[in-house]
Amino acid sequence: MLLLLGLCLGLSLCVGSQEEAQSWGHSTEQDGLRVPRQVRLLQRLKTKPLMTEFSVKSTIISRYAFTTVSCRMLNRASEDQDIEFQMQIPAAAFITNFTMLIGDKVYQGEITERAKKSGDRVKEKRNKTTEENGEKGTEIFRASAVIPSKDKAAFFLSYEELLQRRLGKYEHSISVRPQQLSGRLSVDVNILESAGIASLEVLPLHNSRQRGSGRGEDDSGPPPSTVINQNETFANIIFKPSVVQQAKIAQNGVLGDFIIRYDVNREQSIGDIQVLNGYFVHYFAPKDLPPLPKNVVFVLDSSASMVGTKLRQTKDALFTILHDLRPQDRFSIIGFSNRIKVWKDHLISVTPDSIRDGKVYIHHMSPTGGTDINGALQRAIRLLNKYVAHNDIGDRSVSLIIFLTDGKPTVGETHTLKILNNTREAARGQVCIFTIGIGNDVDFRLLEKLSLENCGLTRRVHEEEDAGSQLIGFYDEIRTPLLSDIRIDYPPSSVVQATKTLFPNYFNGSEIIIAGKLVDRKLDHLHVEVTASNSKKFVILKTDVPVGPQKAGKDVTGSPRPEGDGEGDPNHIERLWSYLTTKELLSSWLQSDDEPEKERLRQRAQDLALSYRFLTPFTSMKLRGPVPRKDGLEEAHGMSAAMGPEPVVQSMRGAGTQPGPLLEKPYQPRIKISKTSVDGDPHFVVDFPLSKLTVCFNIDGQPGDILRLVSDHMDSGVTVNGELIGAPAPPNGHKKQRTYFRTITILVNKPERSYLEITPSRVILDGGDRLVLPCNQSVVVGSRGLEVSVSANANVTVTIQGSIAFVILIHLYKKPAPFQRHHLGFYIANSEGLSSNCHGLLGQFLNQDARLTDDPAGPSQSPTHLLLLQAGEGPEAVLKVKGHQVPVVWKQRKIYNGEEQIDCWFARNNAAKLIDGEYKDYLASHPFDTGMTLGRGTSREL
């Protein structure tokens, strides 16, 4: 079998013999048999492999994103077929895993060392995309294989990236281009930000190359079928279009980019520092600072190749940008071809007249001649250096060059290394160069190095893109410098192996990120010093940031590290540190011209990438296999990753979520728990084990009512309340409406206060630090005597001090009827730790006993009579419990999600004579209300 794996990022694999490859390339055309075009089209349509599923699962934890793509295909043809899987991924992302299942064979990707010279296996094609729909800022991963007739294939691709903040937002983009309509298509994104989510939006599907311009976004709302669930720190976004909805968007299955933009809350001026397992990350994004004056020179290519649309769009964009300059800014304009044409030989202040004159100068630029890149840059740097030297404002302003070209150097100095050296020597680190390359003929590597070596950024604009909108969007990112010469220091005795800590500028809407290792994991406070310049003074910020205890973490990727590496499982902050460090090493390697230094940087980057399974220019991917597929192997290799980070192990006191491998013990779907419960509409069941009696009753509440289920606040410190949701009654039923529990809230007051809010979709745990746990992932959380275990889409188990345990069953419907709602069932598994004073609709019956009588006036202990009653032949009886005599009738009821049927004695009329007081006495004022009008414990507090 021939397996081909290709990646424009830097990978092309061929597994199989040369003879196989040659035979596969054989066609009927070579035999001289000409097949009519219509027949060939029908053949392709008939035999085209069917995509049965395309799903993307992404989890973002503190800006670090883990994404897994799952694709399943079916060969419907009567012969073996070539099949291809392709996926656009962000250019900044690192692929971490690829697994392929072909029939009963498994091929597992492995990141290995890459030879210095590319052989048959690896072909570097960085910064090139070959697909027609290749988007700006993306690269394409391809894998193809031969599937036997009537067989299936599955592809699983995982990658990671650190989201960058631009224009005040983080953007997470997922390519949804399955190339055909898919029976099951879904995108599921979870965002967990401990600082709190300040804003979140889902953009319309984007299927053009004009992305991120920052202006004129379509505000028509999220794509059809998108569902957003969000609270303060957690958001879940699901996009799950039907085949009909997909067809309305695009018949060819190229739906576009699913884009999420969000930002987080920021409180401390020193930034947000998160610590976990000996690693830290520092997010620094100050706001409410006065902008620094800009000294900016716009350098515009006006060579002959810019003729037509490119030059016109660029001129229009510069008109807009000139109007955006501030009064304190200074500017000039240079046009270059084979001649350097300077508007003014000095920087001009921003006035209405100077803006008008600048626009006139730009308007009269005409395309002609060659491209003198070196001369244009030298002239622009001289203008800036001259102005700064004569005005002595270097520390209180920012000098920028915005350089735009569509070609290669053809006039003057054309040698790339000399251009770079000349520019570096002239700028001396005092001028930042921001470059934009237009079209396919531009020397993008030169522009990239010019920006990297001179504290700038670079952007590429494809031939058919709107150069003007790209230029405006790029300028928007750098239009408001707030700080310059930023230095962030940590005590050398506390921090080692930190990423870059010196930054030339900080622009409004961006973010500075530093990560490193802590020398002492038990460190309570981390001293941080930030020095920088702003428009008025030299800024120094000093503070000791509390880091708190660090808990052991696991891996969130769903694919644990290879065994035998001698290291513990990494966490998301460690992976963020490794990602950032690898990126900086690659950047330094690209900038360096010293061969021994380049080799040292290459080796360090390669070693780190191998350790953390990153596919980079210095590593390659080999497919191991095939190996026979075993039962459950699909889950082990693919589904656990495709369903996202599962399970996630979290600490209540740590800095965030810690990643983890699959649990050693799988959850048992059937749990040994007591019958004492409330479930369904809502049906209450109370078990009296001493007398071997089970009593049941219904409570017909109103939607929005909050019922007290367990009230033991004064003794064990535990309170459980449940909130009802309404639904229409089923047809021909005796009820006017149905009610279910949509929320169960648990307050634990001892030894320390913790709050739990459980719904069918998520668990919110606030025990000093607030955590949000999605219910579709298996999760274990434990601290301070409280443990919360989530079995994905099945149940939530809450254990308190080892002596109290509650199980909350999750009831989900694939296609709910109008009278059905996703809801919860509440079961008491262990009540040993609850006191004899415990109350509530269920709690009042714990530690109690009951017995049956045949007559309200006095009990009859006739064994025959009791046997008849329990067999259902005696329709009614009297139950004696807690001094009450309650008429009851024998009934059967299903519990445990319908898995078990029980016999019980049913008390009618809302259990009016069974419970203490009446229904209204059990209504709470809010979800965490601990007050109780019956029994002990009358305090109301949060």
Side-chain angles (χ1 to χ4, degrees):
M1 181 179 294
L2 175 68
L3 297 172
L4 298 173
L5 182 64
L7 175 64
C8 293
L9 174 67
L11 178 67
S12 179
L13 271 178
C14 181
V15 181
S17 68
Q18 186 174 1
E19 290 76 15
E20 285 177 315
Q22 290 174 346
S23 65
W24 182 249
H26 190 71
S27 72
T28 57
E29 293 279 336
Q30 294 172 330
D31 291 336
L33 300 175
R34 184 174 181 83
V35 181
R37 185 176 61 182
Q38 294 88 345
V39 175
R40 292 200 306 270
L41 176 62
L42 289 173
Q43 288 174 342
R44 287 200 303 269
L45 291 174
K46 180 180 178 181
T47 61
K48 183 178 180 180
L50 175 68
M51 184 175 295
T52 58
E53 179 184 349
F54 180 87
S55 63
V56 182
K57 176 78 175 181
S58 192
T59 297
I60 304 168
I61 308 175
S62 297
R63 291 76 141 178
Y64 195 70
F66 301 86
T67 303
T68 296
V69 184
S70 170
C71 177
R72 301 175 187 277
M73 304 189 82
L74 171 66
N75 176 15
R76 299 170 292 176
S78 56
E79 65 275 350
D80 294 356
Q81 288 285 309
D82 183 45
I83 199 167
E84 182 178 71
F85 161 72
Q86 71 175 35
M87 181 69 186
Q88 285 188 10
I89 65 171
F94 285 143
I95 288 175
T96 56
N97 191 30
F98 177 69
T99 301
M100 187 159 55
L101 280 64
I102 308 295
D104 60 352
K105 301 291 194 302
V106 178
Y107 300 84
Q108 179 68 51
E110 179 185 344
I111 304 295
T112 62
E113 182 176 332
R114 176 181 172 181
K116 293 182 184 178
K117 292 184 179 180
S118 298
D120 296 338
R121 183 176 292 111
V122 183
K123 298 176 184 177
E124 178 67 12
K125 299 179 182 178
R126 200 137 182 91
N127 297 314
K128 292 182 181 179
T129 54
T130 57
E131 289 300 302
E132 292 180 347
N133 59 345
E135 295 286 335
K136 177 178 69 70
T138 67
E139 285 160 341
I140 299 177
F141 178 93
R142 289 191 187 88
S144 56
V146 177
I147 307 185
S149 171
K150 309 298 182 182
D151 216 334
K152 299 177 182 179
F155 304 90
F156 304 99
L157 175 70
S158 299
Y159 60 88
E160 300 174 14
E161 64 174 320
L162 176 62
L163 304 184
Q164 298 296 315
R165 189 169 184 253
R166 292 175 179 164
L167 302 175
K169 302 284 185 181
Y170 303 99
E171 182 174 293
H172 186 51
S173 180
I174 295 172
S175 176
V176 186
R177 293 174 171 83
Q179 307 300 315
Q180 59 175 282
L181 302 179
S182 175
R184 288 183 293 171
L185 187 149
S186 66
V187 176
D188 189 346
V189 180
N190 290 321
I191 302 174
L192 180 61
E193 292 287 352
S194 59
I197 299 173
S199 64
L200 184 144
E201 62 176 334
V202 179
L203 276 60
L205 287 169
H206 228 123
N207 202 20
S208 74
R209 295 185 175 182
Q210 302 169 20
R211 282 182 42 209
S213 66
R215 299 189 181 188
E217 285 291 355
D218 185 354
D219 58 356
S220 60
S225 82
T226 302
V227 177
I228 303 172
N229 291 302
Q230 179 186 356
N231 59 29
E232 290 87 345
T233 59
F234 174 78
N236 174 247
I237 302 99
I238 296 177
F239 172 55
K240 201 170 183 179
S242 64
V243 174
V244 174
Q245 289 171 320
Q246 295 173 48
K248 288 181 179 179
I249 299 170
Q251 290 281 353
N252 62 357
V254 180
L255 275 65
D257 292 313
F258 186 79
I259 301 173
I260 298 168
R261 286 183 182 160
Y262 75 96
D263 198 17
V264 301
N265 296 319
R266 289 175 175 80
E267 296 179 0
Q268 297 189 47
S269 59
I270 201 74
D272 176 23
I273 296 180
Q274 299 180 18
V275 177
L276 186 62
N277 282 11
Y279 289 83
F280 78 92
V281 60
H282 183 183
Y283 299 103
F284 181 63
K287 55 184 180 179
D288 301 327
L289 296 173
L292 281 164
K294 294 192 298 290
N295 314 314
V296 56
V297 178
F298 300 97
V299 183
L300 174 62
D301 186 345
S302 59
S303 62
S305 58
M306 287 287 289
V307 68
T309 303
K310 284 188 286 189
L311 187 58
R312 177 178 54 78
Q313 290 176 344
T314 303
K315 287 181 177 181
D316 291 342
L318 283 176
F319 294 160
T320 302
I321 289 171
L322 290 180
H323 279 293
D324 197 57
L325 293 173
R326 296 183 175 87
Q328 67 266 36
D329 295 337
R330 298 292 185 272
F331 77 105
S332 189
I333 303 164
I334 293 178
F336 73 97
S337 53
N338 56 333
R339 294 174 52 211
I340 311 300
K341 293 163 270 190
V342 182
W343 172 49
K344 303 288 184 182
D345 62 357
H346 58 281
L347 296 189
I348 303 298
S349 60
V350 175
T351 66
D353 290 343
S354 65
I355 296 298
R356 183 194 63 226
D357 294 345
K359 290 173 65 176
V360 170
Y361 179 78
I362 293 170
H363 176 73
H364 286 105
M365 281 185 180
S366 57
T368 181
T371 309
D372 186 359
I373 290 177
N374 182 74
L377 286 169
Q378 292 298 309
R379 194 62 183 273
I381 294 170
R382 284 200 298 271
L383 277 177
L384 290 165
N385 287 340
K386 178 182 175 182
Y387 175 77
V388 172
H390 284 78
N391 292 273
D392 191 29
I393 61 167
D395 290 338
R396 300 185 308 280
S397 67
V398 172
S399 294
L400 312 174
I401 292 175
I402 298 179
F403 183 90
L404 186 146
T405 183
D406 73 336
K408 302 177 176 68
T410 60
V411 177
E413 181 57 69
T414 59
H415 193 270
T416 297
L417 286 179
K418 288 186 178 180
I419 294 173
L420 291 170
N421 289 334
N422 293 341
T423 304
R424 186 168 54 246
E425 290 173 5
R428 301 190 310 275
Q430 303 302 308
V431 177
C432 295
I433 301 176
F434 296 83
T435 59
I436 300 175
I438 302 177
N440 301 324
D441 297 327
V442 68
D443 188 347
F444 190 74
R445 180 57 62 88
L446 171 61
L447 299 185
E448 187 177 36
K449 294 194 74 172
L450 280 170
S451 295
L452 281 173
E453 293 181 0
N454 297 280
C455 61
L457 300 170
T458 188
R459 291 286 185 275
R460 184 168 195 161
V461 180
H462 289 281
E463 195 73 50
E464 60 277 15
E465 288 182 336
D466 183 350
S469 65
Q470 297 297 314
L471 177 56
I472 292 173
F474 191 33
Y475 173 78
D476 281 347
E477 294 183 36
I478 60 176
R479 64 189 290 266
T480 310
L482 299 182
L483 295 172
S484 65
D485 301 320
I486 304 112
R487 179 187 180 100
I488 302 179
D489 289 314
Y490 313 94
S493 60
S494 301
V495 170
V496 293
Q497 297 186 35
T499 56
K500 185 172 67 172
T501 57
L502 299 175
F503 303 88
N505 301 300
Y506 166 72
F507 296 97
N508 188 40
S510 65
E511 185 173 55
I512 289 173
I513 304 176
I514 307 102
K517 295 182 180 181
L518 295 179
V519 175
D520 182 9
R521 290 194 176 201
K522 298 180 180 179
L523 192 69
D524 293 327
H525 290 80
L526 179 62
H527 183 73
V528 183
E529 290 188 11
V530 178
T531 58
S533 298
N534 70 1
S535 61
K536 300 185 182 300
K537 61 183 179 180
F538 193 67
V539 180
I540 301 179
L541 300 173
K542 297 182 181 181
T543 189
D544 288 330
V545 179
V547 297
Q550 304 163 39
K551 302 294 183 181
K554 298 288 184 179
D555 183 15
V556 76
T557 62
S559 51
R561 295 178 71 177
E563 295 180 3
D565 59 4
E567 299 286 341
D569 292 315
N571 58 65
H572 72 279
I573 296 181
E574 180 181 352
R575 294 197 70 81
L576 186 156
W577 167 83
S578 63
Y579 172 97
L580 206 53
T581 303
T582 304
K583 287 288 185 183
E584 290 184 0
L585 288 170
L586 292 173
S587 178
S588 299
W589 176 84
L590 185 62
Q591 294 178 54
S592 178
D593 295 323
D594 181 72
E595 286 304 320
E597 176 66 16
K598 284 180 77 76
E599 177 56 26
R600 285 192 296 272
L601 291 168
R602 187 197 70 84
Q603 191 61 51
R604 288 181 59 197
Q606 185 182 73
D607 291 346
L608 196 61
L610 288 172
S611 178
Y612 288 91
R613 310 185 315 277
F614 292 149
L615 183 59
T616 72
F618 303 137
T619 53
S620 62
M621 180 178 283
K622 294 180 180 178
L623 283 180
R624 298 295 185 188
V627 297
R629 181 167 163 185
K630 301 175 182 178
D631 292 340
L633 191 59
E634 182 168 338
E635 282 69 22
H637 284 273
M639 285 308 294
S640 63
M643 295 305 291
E646 113 181 86
V648 179
V649 180
Q650 297 183 328
S651 161
M652 295 168 59
R653 302 287 285 189
T657 307
Q658 302 118 352
L662 292 177
L663 293 177
E664 294 181 2
K665 288 186 177 181
Y667 282 98
Q668 298 297 327
R670 186 69 175 83
I671 304 170
K672 293 292 184 181
I673 53 179
S674 163
K675 298 176 185 176
T676 301
S677 61
V678 54
D679 208 339
D681 180 21
H683 301 322
F684 288 77
V685 176
V686 178
D687 190 35
F688 296 99
L690 292 179
S691 55
K692 298 182 180 180
L693 288 175
T694 302
V695 178
C696 51
F697 59 93
N698 294 345
I699 293 291
D700 295 326
Q702 296 298 315
D705 283 356
I706 300 172
L707 306 186
R708 307 180 195 278
L709 303 179
V710 177
S711 298
D712 199 26
H713 181 71
M714 300 299 291
D715 293 288
S716 67
V718 175
T719 300
V720 182
N721 296 327
E723 183 176 356
L724 296 176
I725 186 175
N732 304 319
H734 64 282
K735 290 187 176 183
K736 294 182 179 179
Q737 67 174 356
R738 284 188 165 191
T739 52
Y740 304 92
F741 282 112
R742 69 174 176 186
T743 306
I744 299 293
T745 53
I746 302 174
L747 172 63
V748 181
N749 205 39
K750 297 177 181 180
E752 295 182 44
R753 180 162 296 195
S754 297
Y755 300 88
L756 269 168
E757 180 181 299
I758 302 165
T759 71
S761 61
R762 50 106 178 100
V763 178
I764 298 177
L765 172 58
D766 194 340
D769 288 329
R770 185 180 177 90
L771 294 178
V772 182
L773 315 174
C775 286
N776 62 357
Q777 300 173 15
S778 296
V779 180
V780 180
V781 175
S783 182
R784 300 179 298 172
L786 175 64
E787 182 180 282
V788 180
S789 300
V790 180
S791 179
N793 294 328
N795 59 68
V796 178
T797 302
V798 180
T799 306
I800 304 165
Q801 300 298 323
S803 60
I804 302 172
F806 305 127
V807 176
I808 296 90
L809 296 189
I810 302 171
H811 302 288
L812 302 174
Y813 299 93
K814 288 185 178 180
K815 295 181 179 180
F819 54 85
Q820 293 175 324
R821 295 289 186 270
H822 298 323
H823 65 280
L824 303 173
F826 175 75
Y827 291 75
I828 299 177
N830 184 359
S831 61
E832 290 180 7
L834 295 172
S835 75
S836 58
N837 298 308
C838 183
H839 215 275
L841 285 168
L842 286 175
Q844 63 186 296
F845 300 108
L846 303 175
N847 305 311
Q848 301 289 334
D849 199 12
R851 59 191 179 92
L852 285 174
T853 67
D854 61 347
D855 188 334
S860 169
Q861 299 299 326
S862 166
T864 304
H865 187 63
L866 287 177
L867 183 62
L868 289 173
L869 289 174
Q870 292 171 355
E873 297 180 19
E876 292 187 357
V878 175
L879 181 78
K880 189 170 184 180
V881 58
K882 295 172 50 177
H884 304 161
Q885 296 199 46
V886 187
V888 290
V889 62
W890 179 84
K891 202 169 188 178
Q892 288 187 321
R893 176 158 286 177
K894 291 184 177 181
I895 59 174
Y896 304 151
N897 205 13
E899 294 182 12
E900 184 171 325
Q901 182 169 285
I902 61 168
D903 298 335
C904 66
W905 292 98
F906 179 71
R908 299 187 180 94
N909 301 322
N910 268 2
K913 295 184 179 182
L914 177 67
I915 60 175
D916 294 337
E918 55 187 50
Y919 172 76
K920 66 179 182 179
D921 296 323
Y922 296 88
L923 295 179
S925 60
H926 57 79
F928 292 102
D929 183 3
T930 61
M932 191 67 215
T933 57
L934 301 169
R936 286 182 52 187
T938 58
S939 64
R940 290 182 181 269
E941 53 178 303
L942 278 175

